[in-house]
Amino acid sequence: MAEDEKRDKTELQMMKELVDELYNFRDCYFETHSVEEAGRKQSDVAREIEKTLKKLEEKEDNFQDTAEFLLQKGRCLNVAPDFSAVAEVCLSRAVKLEPGLVDGWNTLGEQYWKKGDLIGAKNCFTGALQQSKNKVSLRNLSMVLRQLPAADSDAHSKQVLESVDMARQAVQLDVTDGTSWYILGNAYVSLFFTCGQNPQLSQQALSAYAQSEKVERAASCYPELHFNRSTLFQYEEMFGSALGGYSRAAALDPGWEEPPEREKQLLEYLKKVTELIQNKGKVKARRLRTMLSNLSTSALGPCSSPQFRSPTGRVGSLEPRTLTSLTHGLNSGVAAMGKVVFSLASEGRMAFTFGMVDSEEVCIVVMVYNTADSWGVLIGDTVVIPEPQVKRNSITHKDESFDFRSIRVDSPLLLIVNGKKQNVQSQIAASVSYKPQSE
């Protein structure tokens, strides 16, 4: 009897190793294949699943009522991106037979998730954590919490904060796990866009992604990592890095439509912006002179008051400056002033973009974040930007190059339009879609 038990144990261990190899084939595909072969990954993985499943099913008669066998069969089917009813049955039976089977609960949770049953998935991951604290349950819970519907924005913020905490705990359990670092990066991206775009959170997200690639070579081949990081890069106006990341995500997963779409949109946006700056929004010379003739310091409005409090907290009136005299970075104590000559609300926009021309007929592009859909400026409006944050953009991507200066404004509330401050309704927190799941 002991001999039989020993043999069964050895066979089950071999099955587990077979399935582990299958996961390794999927997750480390690009360590043995070139990026040019990315289009074959899905069919290659499907073929490996078939081969592994066949080997498992050869032993099914002896082990069909064994929790460990049911777990490995469920895990094997779980490698596929879609829900499998057979996997759900196997895994449900496995955890009934052996309620302490943490891997069983985790894999069952992933199946519920693929099926769209987020509550069921959450219960499985929570159940697994009650058996034992483990990184897989923690990071899966982190992802599910960000996707669960919330009653209101406060409840959603609470879920996102909890999700960051779960991802942090997963990293603490194993600091050498690239997937846990990557999921922590995603949690920070979500927190960044949920809780008022604190630059510190954006840095924490980028650090987590970098750490993910550092500790695990396969992580640099996660298309979602490049896509999500590019979403952040684009918001931070690191356009060259964003384009590079979208392009890399598209190469790693040719079947995923969003990365090439985002890359194309961003390129079109940059083309449009540079063209409009060069031709000053196509405003005719005579009309432009007429517009600029009534540009006067009275448009400074509240900025001319000695009590004016700048976005940086400085108190005192601001001195109007021409666009050419502005330095890169923050221009303290001064204001940029001009007439709007074009505006742009591009597809998938993150910023309301407009161009303004100053008294010297110099044109610059202004990118305003967190604007309500109803907010905008019209051609001919006078805009004053207190303490402008100026940036030189020099971008080369594939065969295209762009070079222009821009001003970043984090909220429409910071602008003075036609001598007036903007009302609170003009601002809304930016929401940006990123790929939340690592599966």
Side-chain angles (χ1 to χ4, degrees):
M1 180 66 189
E3 268 308 305
D4 287 351
E5 264 185 37
K6 206 172 165 185
R7 194 174 58 245
D8 286 357
K9 245 184 172 163
T10 308
E11 288 216 16
L12 287 166
Q13 180 57 31
M14 282 165 71
M15 289 182 211
K16 181 186 183 302
E17 283 165 14
L18 265 178
V19 178
D20 286 347
E21 275 171 34
L22 176 61
Y23 275 84
N24 198 49
F25 179 82
R26 181 194 71 182
D27 298 339
C28 304
Y29 185 83
F30 293 106
E31 288 185 16
T32 47
H33 297 76
S34 69
V35 175
E36 285 67 43
E37 295 172 275
R40 282 178 28 201
K41 181 180 174 182
Q42 221 172 336
S43 56
D44 285 356
V45 170
R47 195 165 50 249
E48 290 300 315
I49 292 171
E50 280 305 312
K51 275 171 29 187
T52 308
L53 196 58
K54 208 172 167 193
K55 286 179 187 169
L56 293 177
E57 285 173 343
E58 284 166 9
K59 315 276 184 185
E60 190 144 21
D61 288 348
N62 304 339
F63 294 105
Q64 58 189 0
D65 293 322
T66 311
E68 185 61 32
F69 172 80
L70 291 163
L71 166 65
Q72 297 314 329
K73 187 175 175 182
R75 281 184 72 223
C76 172
L77 292 163
N78 187 53
V79 170
D82 300 319
F83 167 72
S84 155
V86 177
E88 184 186 5
V89 170
C90 289
L91 294 160
S92 299
R93 281 184 63 207
V95 295
K96 268 199 186 88
L97 289 165
E98 215 176 294
L101 207 55
V102 170
D103 273 1
W105 286 112
N106 280 333
T107 319
L108 181 59
E110 286 173 24
Q111 280 299 315
Y112 280 139
W113 192 353
K114 288 173 183 179
K115 191 180 170 180
D117 179 359
L118 294 176
I119 300 292
K122 184 186 175 208
N123 291 341
C124 285
F125 302 139
T126 310
L129 283 170
Q130 282 163 358
Q131 302 295 334
S132 124
K133 192 173 179 183
N134 68 93
K135 63 185 180 184
V136 176
S137 303
L138 285 164
R139 65 193 187 204
N140 280 346
L141 206 46
S142 170
M143 292 189 276
V144 166
L145 281 165
R146 294 198 300 277
Q147 290 183 27
L148 275 172
D152 52 39
S153 61
D154 282 353
H156 177 64
S157 300
K158 213 167 147 188
Q159 278 173 207
V160 173
L161 280 164
E162 200 182 331
S163 137
V164 171
D165 183 48
M166 294 290 167
R168 273 198 201 121
Q169 288 184 49
V171 164
Q172 281 159 5
L173 286 180
D174 181 359
V175 292
T176 64
D177 189 304
T179 305
S180 296
W181 279 108
Y182 156 66
I183 286 161
L184 178 60
N186 286 352
Y188 278 132
V189 170
S190 193
L191 189 59
F192 175 78
F193 286 115
T194 305
C195 299
Q197 292 106 40
N198 176 343
Q200 198 185 341
L201 294 172
S202 142
Q203 280 317 303
Q204 283 172 304
L206 294 176
S207 297
Y209 287 144
Q211 195 61 23
S212 171
E213 290 179 303
K214 189 177 164 185
V215 298
E216 196 173 305
R217 228 171 41 194
S220 61
C221 295
Y222 295 163
E224 301 91 345
L225 185 149
H226 295 282
F227 180 79
N228 293 345
R229 183 161 56 189
S230 288
T231 300
L232 205 49
F233 281 150
Q234 187 171 340
Y235 188 85
E236 299 281 5
E237 295 180 6
M238 296 162 74
F239 298 123
S241 301
L243 288 165
Y246 289 142
S247 180
R248 177 86 174 140
L252 290 166
D253 187 353
W256 184 14
E257 289 169 8
E258 212 171 345
E261 186 54 36
R262 286 268 190 102
E263 183 186 4
K264 186 172 148 242
Q265 276 178 6
L266 182 50
L267 277 171
E268 282 171 3
Y269 171 78
L270 293 169
K271 268 185 221 164
K272 224 177 263 183
V273 162
T274 41
E275 194 184 303
L276 286 164
I277 294 169
Q278 279 159 7
N279 61 31
K280 295 171 190 167
K282 296 184 184 165
V283 174
K284 292 196 165 57
R286 184 190 283 176
R287 187 180 172 205
L288 187 61
R289 281 198 297 275
T290 308
M291 274 161 63
L292 294 173
S293 66
N294 64 16
L295 188 62
S296 72
T297 51
S298 63
L300 283 168
C303 293
S304 57
S305 155
Q307 276 81 49
F308 181 74
R309 183 178 284 276
S310 294
T312 55
R314 177 190 172 278
V315 176
S317 61
L318 300 181
E319 181 197 334
R321 282 275 174 87
T322 59
L323 295 173
T324 44
S325 69
L326 297 175
T327 56
H328 291 157
L330 180 73
N331 289 263
S332 187
V334 303
M337 181 166 72
K339 288 281 186 180
V340 176
V341 288
F342 69 82
S343 70
L344 201 59
S346 60
E347 269 185 274
R349 68 182 173 90
M350 291 195 185
F352 180 92
T353 304
F354 69 89
M356 72 177 200
V357 171
D358 71 356
S359 55
E360 293 180 341
E361 296 196 16
V362 172
C363 188
I364 198 164
V365 66
V366 182
M367 298 173 191
V368 190
Y369 292 81
N370 302 306
T371 58
D373 288 340
S374 57
W375 185 86
V377 288
L378 303 172
I379 291 174
D381 280 351
T382 304
V383 175
V384 172
I385 305 169
E387 301 200 318
Q389 186 85 34
V390 180
K391 188 179 176 198
R392 165 87 182 274
N393 300 276
S394 230
I395 304 143
T396 302
H397 180 67
K398 295 179 177 170
D399 307 330
E400 313 217 40
S401 289
F402 308 96
D403 201 320
F404 60 93
R405 287 208 312 162
S406 63
I407 295 176
R408 181 189 182 98
V409 180
D410 284 326
S411 161
L413 300 180
L414 302 173
L415 296 174
I416 311 296
V417 181
N418 299 327
K420 294 186 184 75
K421 282 186 167 181
Q422 301 304 281
N423 67 20
V424 176
Q425 282 75 41
S426 61
Q427 175 181 286
I428 190 167
S431 71
V432 172
S433 71
Y434 67 98
K435 179 122 175 179
Q437 201 173 326
S438 75
E439 285 296 307

